[in-house]
């Protein structure tokens, strides 16, 4: 890392500490929108350090037509901003459990609607997952995950995606995007009826903090393969495409690799993987076109810091 990069990081840390001490939001340009983020949110730093961070999803939706995109773990609306900037024909259902993030999400969506009157967005304050579980949201730096609740008064009960009224529609769900820091497999498993009815593409994070989560992801991904999701695109946590494959053994080998990276004493480099999987041939054609576009843009150097 260059001296200039180290200085920039040091400056950003000081700015973040100042914002946190004053409780001041920060604003980050994403696509066509200036998105309001929490004072401690690290997304601007991540995207400054890694030019491909969170850059594939908007390329993917740009190749889609009409339908519903479900954004689980919508956070402050950063993924929504990137997708809506390139495709306003889709209807976006944004699901976010954390109360603070949901407030930011609500404000950001109001501004997006003002800038794009054709924007179609529904907001859901819920913790997605299998019925009957409960937890609270914990985390720092602009990312939070559900943990078991010691105080039931502050816990939320999980709601399966299948039970969300916003998804009880004949309009096709074309994409489910999940980013819940270790619980993505549970969210996907809570959408069995949606998968059976709509066969959406699924874009999710595979973060493996422990052996049990590793086993859960391996089992969930095998279920998807068995249900017809045979085409897989695997990205590392920096946004680079590792492989496109229809071989479950290859996917499992990469999962094992990522798990061992996380278990390493130095933390390794690959902290998580992002997956995109498809069931239908027409969706594979869309994904192939998006990947080709994405790779061409990378080679041209058009994804700037």
């Amino acid at each position: 890392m260059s001296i200039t990069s180290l200085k920039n990081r040091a400056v950003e840390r000081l700015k973040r500490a100042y914002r946190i001490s004053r409780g001041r939001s920060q604003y980050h340009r994403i696509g066509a929108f200036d998105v309001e983020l929490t004072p401690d949110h690290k997304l601007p730093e991540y995207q400054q350090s890694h030019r491909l961070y969170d850059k594939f999803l908007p390329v993917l939706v740009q190749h889609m037509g009409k339908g519903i995109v479900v954004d689980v773990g919508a956070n402050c609306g950063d993924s929504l901003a990137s997708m809506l900037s390139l495709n306003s024909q889709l209807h976006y259902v944004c699901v976010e459990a954390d109360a603070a993030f949901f407030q930011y999400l609500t404000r950001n969506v109001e501004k997006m609607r003002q800038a794009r009157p054709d924007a179609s967005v529904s907001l859901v304050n819920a913790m997605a997952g299998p019925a009957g579980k409960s937890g609270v949201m914990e985390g720092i730096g602009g990312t939070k995950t559900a943990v078991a609740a010691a105080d039931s008064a502050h816990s939320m009960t999980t709601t399966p995606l299948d039970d969300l009224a916003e998804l009880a529609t004949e309009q096709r769900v074309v994409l489910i995007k999940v980013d819940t820091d270790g619980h993505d497999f549970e969210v996907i498993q809570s959408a069995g009826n949606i998968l059976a009815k709509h066969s959406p593409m699924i874009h999710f994070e595979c973060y493996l903090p422990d052996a049990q989560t590793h086993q859960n992801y391996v089992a969930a991904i095998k279920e998807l393969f068995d249900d017809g999701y045979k085409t897989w695109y695997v990205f590392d946590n920096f946004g680079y495409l590792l492989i496109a494959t229809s071989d479950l053994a290859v996917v499992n080998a990469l999962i094992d690799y990522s798990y061992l990276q996380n278990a390493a004493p130095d933390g390794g480099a690959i902290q998580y993987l992002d997956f995109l999987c498809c069931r239908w041939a027409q969706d594979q054609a869309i994904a192939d076109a998006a990947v080709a576009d994405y790779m061409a843009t990378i080679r041209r150097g058009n994804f700037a810091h």
Side-chain angles (χ1 to χ4, degrees), residues 249-262:
V250 171
V251 174
N252 282 335
L254 289 169
I255 292 173
D256 290 345
Y257 173 77
S258 178
Y259 173 66
L260 292 173
Q261 287 270 306
N262 259 337

Side-chain angles (χ1 to χ4, degrees), residues 96-139:
E96 175 54 52
D98 183 73
F101 285 160
F102 193 78
Q103 289 180 355
Y104 277 80
L105 174 64
T106 301
R107 290 199 296 270
N108 282 321
V109 168
E110 288 175 357
K111 295 174 185 176
M112 291 178 200
R113 286 172 174 154
Q114 292 172 6
R116 291 281 184 88
D118 60 336
S120 180
V121 184
S122 298
L123 303 181
V124 182
N125 184 203
M127 182 181 291
K133 295 189 69 175
S134 63
V136 294
M137 301 299 294
E138 291 186 358

Side-chain angles (χ1 to χ4, degrees), residues 52-130:
L52 302 182
Y53 189 86
D54 283 352
K55 294 297 177 66
F56 175 69
L57 201 57
V59 177
L60 176 63
V61 299
Q62 189 176 22
H63 287 263
M64 293 179 168
K66 296 182 179 180
I68 296 174
V69 172
V70 186
D71 181 0
V72 182
N75 203 277
C76 298
D78 47 291
S79 292
L80 172 65
S82 71
M83 292 187 288
L84 182 60
S85 294
L86 294 180
N87 191 336
S88 58
Q89 296 184 75
L90 294 162
H91 175 65
Y92 298 93
V93 177
C94 298
V95 183
E96 175 54 52
D98 183 73
F101 285 160
F102 193 78
Q103 289 180 355
Y104 277 80
L105 174 64
T106 301
R107 290 199 296 270
N108 282 321
V109 168
E110 288 175 357
K111 295 174 185 176
M112 291 178 200
R113 286 172 174 154
Q114 292 172 6
R116 291 281 184 88
D118 60 336
S120 180
V121 184
S122 298
L123 303 181
V124 182
N125 184 203
M127 182 181 291

Side-chain angles (χ1 to χ4, degrees), residues 128-131 159-163 185-194:
T159 301
L161 287 188
D162 281 339
D163 291 348
F185 69 93
E186 291 186 314
V187 175
I188 295 167
Q189 289 173 327
S190 79
N193 293 336
I194 293 172

